[in-house]
Amino acid sequence: MAEAPAAPASAPQPTAAEADHQPPPESASEAYPASGTGQAFGAASQLMNIQRQLTHPRQQLVENSSSTGMQPSSTALTALNDIKARMLQGQVSFTGPGALKQQLMQASGGARMELSEFEHDSVEMIETLFDSIVQNERVASDLKEELRKLQVPLLKIMLKDPELFSGDFHPARQAVNYLALLSDQGSINLEANKGPILESIRHILESEDDTQAFSQSLENLDELVSREKRFIERNLSRIRETCAGQQRLIQANRQIERQLSELFDRPVPTVLIDLVNHGWKDLMRLSYLREGISSASWTMSLTVLTQLLWHLLPQSNKARQPLQTPDQLLKLLGKGLSKVPEDGYAHADMIEQIAQLLSSGIQDTTPMALYSSAELNSDVLDARLAAQIDTDIGLVRWLKRARNLKVSQWFELTRDQQPTQLYQLVWMADDASQFMFANHHGTKTVGLSLEQVAQLLRDGHLELIHDTAMPAVEQGLDALVQKIYDKLAFDSSHDQLTGLLTRKEFSRCLAQCVAQAQQEQTTYTLIFLDIQQFKVINNTCGYETGDRFLNELARRISSFVDTEALVGRVGPDQFAILAPMEAEKAGYRLATELKTAIETTRFVHEHHSFVINTVVAMLGFDHENQRVMDLLRSVEAAAEISKRSGYKDIQLVLPGDERLEELDEVMTWVTRINRALDENNLKLRCQKIAPLHQQDAALPHYEVLLTVIDDQGEHMPPADFIKVAEDYNRMGSVDRWVIETVLRWMMEHQDQMHLFGGFSINLSGHSMNDDSFLDYLFDALVRYQVPRDKLIFEITETTAVANLEDAADFINEMRSIGCRFSLDDFGVGQSSYSYLKRLPVDFIKIDGAFVRDITRSDVDFALVRSITEMGHYLNKKVIAEYVAAEDILETVRSIGVDYAQGHVHGLPGLLDNLDLKSPLAQQPA
């Protein structure tokens, strides 16, 4: 979306009346926070002011000449009363966009009414608000047009009372919210609600005092809304209570199975298993649910089983605990089983069998069995999740997101090829293993497991939305803000003075034409005009005259081209034309005629007469043209050359023009980036980062360095390549190419992974700021199953500090799956202990500028030492780069630096030639 210009400080602001409306006593509905309503209204008002500055004055819009500036005309109020009367007679229909404004402007005896800016903006706000309300799929279809009738009395109130949307509360605003809520087609009370809804609307239309009518309706509707909300809350409470009860039952069963598995860890008499399965487990569950695991009843249920085992299997009583008598145990058994119902097994018979067993002991003929635990413990869930993760590692981050969902959030859910529906998250298990969603009224629920929620989030079938819980009026205001933003996006693409395309929009259209030329083999001409006398006119006659000159010039330029051509104002006094025609004949003729027409017509203001001179440059491009990434810059550069030569002739940009050599070199680099990525003309080198202290048992790792192969197959320094890639937003693609290449090497050399500490890969700021980059990395690590602790991503200090929170989140995300991070060029940016604590990096790499002269500079020595001390205090390893000689190596080693990188270990070598098994690769620093 195009960025809207800020409103000037002098832009009029909406004022607020001092009247303070209060909600009816004991209102059933809490008003949406005034801050939310007021902010939305204020934003919409400000955006309308900005929009007005960007667009031409409307023909039907006249300046309000009243002293207050915010008062409606008596004509407008009379017209609205007339519309109300005709609505009661069924003579008015609000169908089609802008129907309210049309009705209002034609309501005065056939004469077309002129609206002030204030009136026009108010009408637009009210219309958009009701469009949002009636277009909501939850509103019953037969009530939509009835609700739309309320826009007339609501507009009257807005014109007279600015507190309607900016105040803490207003009865009209709340009444509309009530009526929209009661019109919900999902309500079981809808049919009963329709009568009071229609009665309230008619009462409001018949009343002369609109605010009082809304207040009276609010009081009449309050009980209905209370009933509706009680119904919804009762349903949601039942759902939550049911889910909580089920969760507690699951927790009870898990605890019971855990205890029984520990007790019955060997074969036991089958009568004990029968006892557990046909009564005693029910008693344990009852004790857990009613009194908890700290209760005497829970302890007794475990003690009885434990004592029975000690009597029958004395070896299980390892601590030689005292035994209760058999009679005591049998009495406790009878007491406990009396509290639970029989399920086909007679409790008395089981007690008798246990009594006989206690008397005789276990014999060779005694039936024995191993207790089999039901799969109700959390270990089963963990195993299931582990199996899911093994087969779909990409689900890991979505499982994390699912666990972070919050109760009361709203979602759009799409399942089983059914229409998308709105659901609220009303409950989630304590361990986030289960989720329960419900519709607005709590009459329909969807239960999902953690894995299901994660999969739906990943696939885009469960999407969080933020405005569903807002009342109808507030949703309408939010929609109004969005509508004006969209309009501003269009308006901001056109120059507010001349109506021509802005430079940004012209550049976007130019890029589209370049792509179209490639696809359809069409030809275009690009013409650039630089007006030489504009500053003279401005300084001599003033800015208003300068603006008039630019407007006249814009109209003259536009009149020379057909409708297929694009015209833009690309600078204060610079214009550009993009026309679908070949350049050498038709394009050159157009440029010549345009230059002649401008220069042969004097601009006259009062007694001043100005001769206008122009600098004109042009070029043509088609599907074969390779210099398409910066066409506008090309003609601008050619225009500068034309100025130096006297700007008499049209400067035609041709291939091979030595005067554009510098520009051509930039364009060549841009093309080279694309070709290098497409044709694999990039290569990777790596430089050893060696540990300095053998007692740490650390392994060396390697920084990955980019190199470019030129047309002759020679390796070139990458600095220019990287600079242009960053300038032209291609660095993200380069980063991804590097990562793919490194991961591929690691996959092909799995047998060498244990021989080194990993690869350090530089990430640009473009990738760090790319929302899709994290998804790309997760996907890449799924495709390449490599040891993630062997991946060290390197970011510069400047990049990290520029957006500290995002950088920390990004690092935490990647470290959570095993990757490591290094902070590069430390000591160059705004080094700070406080922010370094917030960046969870594993390594600090001291900038080489402080290392290369460390043996000769006391300042550098002190700086490197202090950074090393601080890094170690924060449990970070420290790397010194640019270590080019043995004396530097020994100095940084003595300071305590952990790793060294530089020519002392040899020049960087091609990654393709890296052999970690060679003695040189294993040699310590």
Side-chain angles (χ1 to χ4, degrees):
M1 183 180 297
E3 184 177 350
S10 59
Q13 305 293 320
T15 60
E18 294 296 327
D20 183 21
H21 296 285
Q22 295 297 327
E26 301 181 0
S27 173
S29 173
E30 293 183 5
Y32 185 70
S35 58
T37 307
Q39 286 174 1
F41 174 71
S45 300
Q46 292 291 347
L47 288 171
M48 284 182 168
N49 287 335
I50 296 171
Q51 183 181 16
R52 190 175 297 112
Q53 298 164 26
L54 292 175
T55 56
H56 294 297
R58 304 175 182 89
Q59 292 181 355
Q60 299 300 326
L61 203 64
V62 296
E63 292 297 329
N64 195 321
S65 59
S66 72
S67 59
T68 62
M70 293 285 287
Q71 294 296 322
S73 66
S74 59
T75 305
L77 295 178
T78 301
L80 287 172
N81 286 328
D82 178 64
I83 295 173
K84 283 178 61 178
R86 289 191 291 120
M87 276 196 300
L88 290 170
Q89 300 172 8
Q91 299 176 358
V92 176
S93 175
F94 296 109
T95 57
L100 175 59
K101 183 169 67 175
Q102 292 299 321
Q103 290 284 351
L104 181 59
M105 296 174 71
Q106 297 175 357
S108 301
R112 192 169 181 83
M113 183 192 309
E114 291 183 335
L115 300 178
S116 68
E117 289 182 354
F118 167 60
E119 291 165 347
H120 183 281
D121 289 351
S122 299
V123 171
E124 185 171 349
M125 281 191 179
I126 294 296
E127 281 193 305
T128 303
L129 188 153
F130 276 89
D131 284 344
S132 173
I133 293 174
V134 302
Q135 290 170 8
N136 191 322
E137 61 183 17
R138 290 165 52 194
V139 174
S141 57
D142 56 340
L143 292 175
K144 291 180 181 292
E145 289 307 311
E146 294 298 322
L147 290 173
R148 195 182 284 276
K149 294 177 180 178
L150 294 175
Q151 60 187 343
V152 175
L154 201 67
L155 175 58
K156 281 184 61 183
I157 294 175
M158 182 176 181
L159 291 174
K160 295 186 292 185
D161 184 2
E163 286 281 304
L164 173 62
F165 294 125
S166 60
D168 290 345
F169 172 85
H170 198 286
R173 192 172 79 217
Q174 191 71 339
V176 173
N177 285 334
Y178 274 13
L179 290 166
L181 186 149
L182 296 172
S183 301
D184 194 326
Q185 60 183 349
S187 170
I188 63 171
N189 300 314
L190 177 61
E191 291 303 319
N193 291 340
K194 285 183 178 180
I197 291 173
L198 296 175
E199 181 181 342
S200 294
I201 293 173
R202 187 167 187 85
H203 171 70
I204 294 169
L205 295 178
E206 290 176 342
S207 176
E208 294 183 2
D209 188 331
D210 299 289
T211 300
Q212 184 181 12
F214 275 110
S215 297
Q216 292 171 347
S217 296
L218 190 61
E219 296 173 3
N220 296 333
L221 298 171
D222 197 60
E223 179 54 37
L224 296 179
V225 172
S226 295
R227 181 185 66 184
E228 197 74 21
K229 292 199 169 190
R230 285 195 301 269
F231 168 73
I232 295 173
E233 186 53 41
R234 183 169 60 248
N235 289 346
L236 296 180
S237 295
R238 287 173 179 171
I239 294 171
R240 296 187 189 102
E241 290 170 2
T242 299
C243 292
Q246 291 174 346
Q247 176 180 249
R248 186 153 175 78
L249 181 61
I250 291 173
Q251 291 171 340
N253 289 335
R254 286 177 180 173
Q255 184 66 25
I256 290 168
E257 295 298 338
R258 190 177 295 114
Q259 295 288 348
L260 293 176
S261 297
E262 292 176 1
L263 282 174
F264 298 157
D265 59 348
R266 66 197 71 190
V268 298
T270 56
V271 66
L272 293 186
I273 296 178
D274 290 340
L275 170 68
V276 166
N277 289 333
H278 300 288
W280 205 255
K281 192 184 293 186
D282 294 333
L283 176 66
M284 296 176 70
R285 187 179 299 111
L286 189 64
S287 299
Y288 183 99
L289 294 175
R290 286 185 176 179
E291 303 178 48
I293 59 175
S294 300
S295 64
S297 62
W298 172 262
T299 302
M300 185 277 293
S301 67
L302 291 176
T303 299
V304 170
L305 294 179
T306 302
Q307 288 281 333
L308 287 173
L309 284 175
W310 288 351
H311 274 280
L312 299 175
L313 298 170
Q315 65 273 25
S316 63
N317 187 8
K318 297 178 181 180
R320 303 295 182 182
Q321 295 291 329
L323 299 178
Q324 297 183 14
T325 66
D327 288 341
Q328 289 175 321
L329 289 178
L330 293 173
K331 184 177 180 180
L332 289 173
L333 280 175
K335 182 179 179 180
L337 291 175
S338 67
K339 297 179 180 180
V340 295
E342 296 182 349
D343 62 352
Y345 277 71
H347 291 169
D349 292 344
M350 283 193 297
I351 293 174
E352 179 61 29
Q353 294 178 41
I354 293 173
Q356 294 176 4
L357 193 60
L358 288 172
S359 175
S360 63
I362 296 176
Q363 307 297 321
D364 292 340
T365 58
T366 301
M368 305 287 287
L370 187 65
Y371 178 75
S372 178
S373 174
E375 293 188 355
L376 291 173
N377 55 65
S378 58
D379 295 336
V380 176
L381 173 64
D382 294 340
R384 190 166 69 250
L385 283 178
Q388 176 69 55
I389 293 170
D390 287 341
T391 58
D392 190 355
I393 299 178
L395 197 64
V396 172
R397 62 182 303 213
W398 298 103
L399 289 168
K400 180 180 178 181
R401 289 191 178 184
R403 292 187 179 99
N404 289 332
L405 297 182
K406 306 296 182 184
V407 170
S408 78
Q409 288 179 326
W410 284 91
F411 299 84
E412 287 185 340
L413 175 63
T414 307
R415 296 185 74 203
D416 305 325
Q417 298 181 341
Q418 297 295 317
T420 299
Q421 294 180 303
L422 292 174
Y423 281 96
Q424 182 185 16
L425 177 59
V426 296
W427 177 87
M428 59 188 296
D430 292 341
D431 60 356
S433 60
Q434 295 292 324
F435 298 75
M436 185 61 70
F437 297 85
N439 64 356
H440 277 85
H441 290 84
T443 55
K444 184 178 180 181
T445 60
V446 175
L448 298 172
S449 67
L450 173 63
E451 307 98 296
Q452 289 173 316
V453 171
Q455 290 168 348
L456 289 169
L457 288 170
R458 178 196 61 189
D459 298 337
H461 294 156
L462 185 67
E463 296 186 2
L464 177 66
I465 53 179
H466 300 282
D467 61 352
T468 300
M470 291 193 299
V473 170
E474 284 64 36
Q475 288 191 45
L477 288 173
D478 186 70
L480 173 62
V481 172
Q482 183 63 55
K483 176 183 176 181
I484 305 172
Y485 265 126
D486 292 343
K487 183 65 166 60
L488 280 171
F490 173 81
D491 291 343
S492 62
S493 65
H494 292 76
D495 177 51
Q496 58 182 344
L497 176 63
T498 64
L500 303 180
L501 296 178
T502 62
R503 181 185 181 92
K504 182 178 181 180
E505 182 66 12
F506 188 87
S507 299
R508 188 186 68 82
C509 294
L510 177 60
Q512 291 179 341
C513 290
V514 168
Q516 187 175 356
Q518 297 285 342
Q519 296 172 1
E520 303 177 6
Q521 298 191 356
T522 52
T523 303
Y524 286 88
T525 293
L526 177 62
I527 302 173
F528 176 80
L529 299 94
D530 193 338
I531 310 302
Q532 299 302 291
Q533 271 66 40
F534 176 61
K535 290 182 180 178
V536 177
I537 296 172
N538 254 350
N539 294 335
T540 304
C541 304
Y543 292 127
E544 290 185 3
T545 304
D547 289 349
R548 180 170 65 85
F549 165 71
L550 290 176
N551 267 315
E552 292 180 3
L553 187 61
R555 288 195 295 270
R556 192 178 309 158
I557 294 173
S558 298
S559 67
F560 266 83
V561 298
D562 57 30
T563 55
E564 294 183 350
L566 300 174
V567 183
R569 184 186 177 195
V570 295
D573 51 4
Q574 298 164 337
F575 300 85
I577 301 169
L578 182 61
M581 61 177 63
E582 57 85 22
E584 292 190 10
K585 293 183 179 180
Y588 189 83
R589 183 169 58 249
L590 174 62
T592 302
E593 293 175 354
L594 192 56
K595 180 178 174 67
T596 301
I598 294 174
E599 294 184 343
T600 56
T601 304
R602 289 174 174 262
F603 177 72
V604 179
H605 175 72
E606 296 178 348
H607 60 280
H608 298 286
S609 179
F610 298 92
V611 176
I612 308 301
N613 293 317
T614 60
V615 174
V616 181
M618 60 173 292
L619 59 76
F621 64 91
D622 56 21
H623 67 285
E624 294 180 349
N625 193 288
Q626 297 298 314
R627 298 187 301 126
V628 297
M629 296 294 291
D630 205 4
L631 296 173
L632 190 55
R633 182 175 171 183
S634 297
V635 291
E636 289 174 332
E640 288 299 318
I641 295 173
S642 179
K643 287 181 183 179
R644 293 196 292 268
S645 63
Y647 51 79
K648 298 292 185 182
D649 301 322
I650 294 174
Q651 187 69 47
L652 180 61
V653 179
L654 297 171
D657 192 333
E658 294 181 358
R659 294 169 298 178
L660 299 175
E661 182 177 350
E662 181 181 351
L663 178 62
D664 286 341
E665 180 63 21
V666 173
M667 298 302 297
T668 300
W669 268 111
V670 173
T671 305
R672 187 178 294 164
I673 293 172
N674 295 326
R675 188 170 67 247
L677 290 169
D678 294 339
E679 300 176 6
N680 203 27
N681 286 341
L682 298 176
K683 291 292 182 181
L684 293 182
R685 296 183 296 167
C686 53
Q687 186 173 36
K688 188 176 184 179
I689 302 176
L692 297 182
H693 308 283
Q694 295 184 9
Q695 63 270 26
D696 293 341
L699 293 172
H701 57 277
Y702 292 82
E703 181 179 1
V704 176
L705 305 170
L706 186 67
T707 188
V708 187
I709 309 299
D710 65 15
D711 295 336
Q712 287 73 43
E714 298 294 328
H715 292 252
M716 304 186 319
D720 292 339
F721 180 93
I722 292 175
K723 181 180 185 302
V724 176
E726 289 178 340
D727 290 344
Y728 289 85
N729 296 317
R730 298 293 285 152
M731 202 58 212
S733 299
V734 174
D735 285 347
R736 297 187 186 205
W737 181 90
V738 172
I739 292 170
E740 292 278 343
T741 305
V742 170
L743 292 176
R744 194 179 307 116
W745 189 96
M746 295 175 71
M747 285 289 290
E748 295 170 356
H749 298 80
Q750 294 276 15
D751 60 326
Q752 299 186 32
M753 290 297 99
H754 66 288
L755 298 175
F756 80 133
F759 286 116
S760 186
I761 303 173
N762 290 278
L763 289 184
S764 68
H766 291 81
S767 294
M768 291 286 291
N769 295 322
D770 182 354
D771 291 338
S772 67
F773 188 70
L774 201 57
D775 289 328
Y776 159 76
L777 279 179
F778 277 101
D779 176 69
L781 293 175
V782 170
R783 290 185 285 111
Y784 297 97
Q785 296 292 315
V786 299
R788 296 175 184 178
D789 62 335
K790 303 291 184 181
L791 292 172
I792 305 166
F793 291 106
E794 194 166 305
I795 59 175
T796 66
E797 179 189 4
T798 304
T799 298
V801 176
N803 202 329
L804 196 60
E805 297 302 329
D806 286 349
D809 287 345
F810 180 87
I811 294 171
N812 278 319
E813 284 277 3
M814 295 307 297
R815 291 185 83 241
S816 69
I817 61 171
C819 299
R820 294 184 289 171
F821 271 82
S822 179
L823 187 62
D824 193 13
D825 292 340
F826 193 81
V828 175
Q830 302 170 0
S831 302
S832 163
Y833 173 74
S834 61
Y835 81 69
L836 188 59
K837 286 198 302 182
R838 297 168 62 187
L839 287 174
V841 296
D842 303 275
F843 301 92
I844 301 172
K845 182 179 284 189
I846 304 173
D847 185 75
F850 303 103
V851 176
R852 61 163 64 99
D853 294 326
I854 192 172
T855 58
R856 298 187 297 272
S857 170
D858 293 339
V859 174
D860 289 347
F861 182 90
L863 177 60
V864 171
R865 184 168 187 173
S866 65
I867 293 174
T868 303
E869 293 290 340
M870 182 175 63
H872 289 166
Y873 178 72
L874 295 175
N875 295 318
K876 304 179 192 301
K877 297 296 183 180
V878 180
I879 303 170
E881 59 181 356
Y882 284 60
V883 179
E886 287 292 337
D887 58 342
I888 299 177
L889 179 66
E890 290 307 316
T891 300
V892 297
R893 193 201 309 269
S894 68
I895 287 175
V897 171
D898 302 290
Y899 293 83
Q901 176 183 2
H903 290 174
V904 71
H905 299 307
L907 298 175
L910 284 176
L911 176 64
D912 294 339
N913 299 334
L914 178 63
D915 182 7
L916 295 172
K917 296 179 180 179
S918 70
L920 184 61
Q922 297 301 311
Q923 183 177 350

